[in-house]
Amino acid sequence: MTEVIPAAPAAAVPSSTIRVRGLTARTRDRLLVDGVDLDIPAGVVTALVGASGSGKTTTALALMGERRPGVDVTTTVLDTGGARFGYVPQHPSSALNPALRIGTVLDDIARAGRRHGHPVTVADALERAGFADDPGMPRRYP
């Protein structure tokens, strides 16, 4: 079920800055998100709300051009209109998932950075965070 709650009266809502049509995400054997359409107006805060496993994170990451390894994302339209936006995970612990080694999470971040032209490495991220002297850090769990 989809429910739209306007942030302002319809006449006051600006035209869409972010427009998505047919967003679908799947793994080799599972459909994660099926044909999502979104129009997000400029200048409003928008939240994706739903049950655990409903595709909120997968959808938010796809809007930023990201995806977890093994997930294929397709759309018929993905237009962000040059908007800059961010993603706030549902739980603070999501940033460093306790089931993933720190190096795995940082590798994901580095891969995303390289796709967008930022030469980021795990070693660089650890150094910036003040862990340059601990070569075992990437193998640890948070």
Side-chain angles (χ1 to χ4, degrees):
M1 180 176 143
T2 301
E3 182 179 1
V4 177
I5 303 171
V13 175
S15 63
S16 291
T17 294
I18 299 172
R19 185 168 193 253
V20 179
R21 294 292 177 266
L23 175 67
T24 300
R26 68 179 72 234
T27 63
R28 185 170 35 92
D29 57 352
R30 187 168 169 223
L31 182 63
L32 305 173
V33 175
D34 188 16
V36 170
D37 293 338
L38 291 171
D39 287 300
I40 303 174
V44 300
V45 175
T46 301
L48 297 177
V49 180
S52 180
S54 64
K56 300 177 302 290
T57 298
T58 301
T59 299
L61 291 174
L63 291 174
M64 296 184 295
E66 303 301 329
R67 58 178 164 54
R68 298 291 295 167
V71 175
D72 292 317
V73 176
T74 59
T75 63
T76 55
V77 174
L78 175 55
D79 180 10
T80 61
R84 294 184 63 177
F85 54 94
Y87 164 70
V88 179
Q90 181 175 349
H91 299 289
S93 63
S94 299
L96 287 176
N97 183 331
L100 298 176
R101 295 180 189 270
I102 291 170
T104 301
V105 174
L106 294 177
D107 280 337
D108 284 351
I109 294 168
R111 191 172 33 256
R114 286 191 299 273
R115 278 197 305 264
H116 294 285
H118 305 289
V120 179
T121 66
V122 171
D124 184 37
L126 287 171
E127 181 178 335
R128 289 179 184 192
F131 296 109
D133 297 333
D134 189 352
M137 182 65 69
R139 292 186 303 276
R140 293 184 185 162
Y141 292 93

